[in-house]
Amino acid sequence: MTRINSHYQKLQAGYLFPEIGRRVREFSAQNPDAKIIRLGIGDVVLPLPESIRSAIKKAVDEMADPKTFRGYGPEQGYEFLRQAIADNDYGTRKVSVSADEIFVSDGSKCDCGNIQEIFSLDSKIAVVDPVYPVYVDTNVMAGRSGHIAPSGHYEGIIYMPSTAENQFKPDFPKEHADLIYLCSPNNPTGTVLTHEDLKGWVEYARKSGSIILFDAAYHDFITDSSLPHSIFEIDGAREVAIEFRSFSKNAGFTGTRCAFTVVPKELKALNDKGEKVSVHALWNRRQSTKFNGVSYPVQRGAEAAYSPQGKKETQEMIRYYLNNAQIIREGLASIGLEVYGGVDAPYVWLKTPGDLGSWDFFDLLLKEANIVGTPGAGFGPGGEGYFRLSSFAFKENVEEAITRIKQQLKVKN
Ligand code: MLT
């Protein structure tokens, strides 16, 4: 009989967010009157801005006319969008990234998950713990790990503890890592790496011959002008880093789907003969073979996010969510909870009260306050004892959630 990829059987039960969804659906079915507030998965609630909607509609109309209709687009993305990204996301910050180093895609989750395919199966990977689970799971699927140990860590993967003691900024790996996943602003802890931090990582990667896979999906939530938005703001990063960005959270595209990955032309890795090979060329080859690009109307919508009106509208959305994050942070801090993140990031990371396990706190909030959050343990063993609340919700729901949490925790004490 046909055999499966048995590495999949090393994975823990289900992917985090569907597992949360399953528990919430079960609770909802048993408690149909419960008014559940969802601050779990980071899914946007504000509608697509007017500038983006009209660009998409206009593009759909073009598709209705044989003279302007478009079939397959370039697998790497249309030039108009790649150039708009290069000019606006990088050019304005004096960062050198050219349009042909940008690969437009349907999501950063996909790109962060797919990128490992172009590297050797015996590459050692290093991740921060807690971590966005996609980095780990996709490497487990590919066979770069052993089984999960009783500690909750996969054998063969290097975990870099990210704790309150180190301000959620992990030390460099203790052993050589070929691929190092970093995320800033961080999902889940909300920590943002400074220029100095990133400089340290770039120097480390250059010395150790590692590649940094830098997830900057939340960079638009940075308000402190001293903080870097891109790893390419650091000298020397172009030889050692790949960057992932998304329109999901800053422009409301979680359902519309558009993102991009920057692979600099200078980035090289070794082939079996020890020769240096272009990573850009490999990613291009991979995308051209396995991906047919993002739809034309969606790419026009993404382009509109860079128009003057689009910038104004997306900035308003970001401010709205950051204001929610502030409500969560301040509300929880006012009842003595230890809170982190939520300033230059849309996620608030909190220590569970009374040393509750993070899934126990999840159950408590769901059952007693009808609030959905994300248990820290879902992001790896280092997240145990922590909990993540997302600011991607309507303000009135966030306010109501904080009132309920306050009441619940007072009742408990
Ligand atoms: C999250 O809640 O961590 C994000 O929504 C996950 C994602 O963007 O895939």
Side-chain angles (χ1 to χ4, degrees):
M1 240 166 117
T2 310
R3 291 175 58 204
I4 60 158
N5 171 355
S6 56
H7 299 304
Y8 274 62
Q9 292 193 315
K10 295 178 190 159
L11 293 165
Q12 282 188 301
Y15 183 58
L16 174 62
F17 294 108
E19 172 58 21
I20 291 174
R22 189 190 64 72
R23 290 188 188 213
V24 174
R25 276 193 303 281
E26 200 174 285
F27 175 79
S28 233
Q30 286 159 8
N31 303 273
D33 296 331
K35 291 203 169 47
I36 296 176
I37 299 178
R38 291 164 206 273
L39 306 179
I41 189 165
D43 193 4
V44 295
V45 295
L46 297 176
L48 283 179
E50 161 63 26
S51 55
I52 293 176
R53 289 198 313 269
S54 20
I56 293 176
K57 283 184 199 161
K58 185 164 169 278
V60 170
D61 288 342
E62 286 176 46
M63 297 299 259
D65 181 340
K67 286 199 278 308
T68 47
F69 171 80
R70 308 209 183 200
Y72 288 126
E75 295 90 352
Q76 302 79 2
Y78 282 103
E79 182 61 21
F80 62 78
L81 179 55
R82 298 171 94 193
Q83 196 58 56
I85 294 168
D87 293 344
N88 291 281
D89 270 348
Y90 295 101
T92 53
R93 298 187 70 79
K94 310 224 175 335
V95 176
S96 141
V97 165
S98 62
D100 61 356
E101 294 175 312
I102 294 165
F103 293 83
V104 175
S105 77
D106 60 347
S108 273
K109 175 174 161 180
C110 322
D111 287 352
C112 289
N114 292 331
I115 195 80
Q116 47 77 28
E117 273 184 31
I118 62 170
F119 297 104
S120 166
L121 270 185
D122 58 17
S123 303
K124 240 340 199 197
I125 75 147
V127 294
V128 172
D129 178 24
V131 66
Y132 179 44
V134 170
Y135 315 150
V136 173
D137 286 5
T138 52
N139 279 287
V140 173
M141 289 169 176
R144 283 195 194 85
S145 78
H147 287 280
I148 197 155
S151 65
H153 294 120
Y154 286 96
E155 290 158 359
I157 289 181
I158 304 169
Y159 289 85
M160 305 177 287
S162 161
T163 61
E165 289 68 45
N166 62 18
Q167 282 87 48
F168 301 102
K169 292 180 179 184
D171 288 338
F172 303 129
K174 304 265 174 298
E175 52 183 305
H176 172 76
D178 297 292
L179 300 171
I180 302 171
Y181 289 83
L182 294 178
C183 176
S184 176
N186 188 263
N187 180 10
T189 66
T191 316
V192 188
L193 298 175
T194 62
H195 278 274
E196 217 37 50
D197 297 326
L198 282 185
K199 209 164 154 258
W201 278 105
V202 167
E203 271 165 22
Y204 174 85
R206 292 178 71 89
K207 268 196 217 122
S208 66
S210 317
I211 290 180
I212 298 173
L213 302 173
F214 189 71
D215 184 350
Y218 300 95
H219 79 95
D220 264 327
F221 290 82
I222 295 175
T223 53
D224 178 342
S225 59
S226 73
L227 293 169
H229 284 234
S230 166
I231 194 159
F232 301 123
E233 290 177 42
I234 310 301
D235 284 344
R238 290 178 56 85
E239 285 93 20
V240 291
I242 292 176
E243 180 162 293
F244 306 93
R245 289 199 181 185
S246 169
F247 293 92
S248 282
K249 314 292 160 90
N250 56 354
F253 271 55
T254 52
T256 307
R257 312 304 308 148
C258 199
F260 61 93
T261 290
V262 178
V263 189
K265 301 246 182 71
E266 288 92 323
L267 183 65
K268 300 278 183 337
L270 297 179
N271 69 11
D272 288 348
K273 294 186 201 139
E275 298 157 341
K276 286 187 179 169
V277 170
S278 160
V279 174
H280 179 279
L282 285 186
W283 184 242
N284 189 40
R285 184 70 175 82
R286 191 265 172 213
Q287 291 298 83
S288 318
T289 304
K290 295 197 177 184
F291 185 58
N292 258 338
V294 176
S295 79
Y296 173 67
V298 166
Q299 292 195 58
R300 279 294 184 199
E303 180 196 26
Y306 296 111
S307 66
Q309 194 195 338
K311 282 184 185 164
K312 195 168 148 273
E313 290 170 331
T314 53
Q315 278 307 318
E316 263 164 37
M317 294 204 298
I318 291 164
R319 269 199 298 277
Y320 181 94
Y321 293 129
L322 282 176
N323 183 51
N324 285 347
Q326 186 180 354
I327 295 170
I328 299 173
R329 248 184 90 86
E330 291 177 357
L332 299 183
S334 76
I335 52 166
L337 290 184
E338 235 178 84
V339 289
Y340 304 93
V343 177
D344 290 296
Y347 298 123
V348 176
W349 186 241
L350 60 121
K351 183 93 195 70
T352 56
D355 283 330
L356 268 181
S358 57
W359 278 106
D360 294 334
F361 190 56
F362 171 88
D363 287 334
L364 173 85
L365 282 193
L366 177 61
K367 290 182 185 145
E368 305 302 332
N370 303 155
I371 289 163
V372 182
T374 307
F379 297 100
E384 183 51 280
Y386 286 89
F387 199 74
R388 193 193 77 177
L389 288 174
S390 154
S391 65
F392 294 111
F394 291 112
K395 182 179 174 208
E396 49 279 22
N397 287 344
V398 168
E399 286 169 339
E400 169 66 18
I402 296 306
T403 306
R404 288 192 207 167
I405 294 176
K406 283 183 178 172
Q407 270 162 4
Q408 183 54 39
L409 295 183
K410 259 197 230 130
V411 172
K412 256 200 109 246
N413 294 334

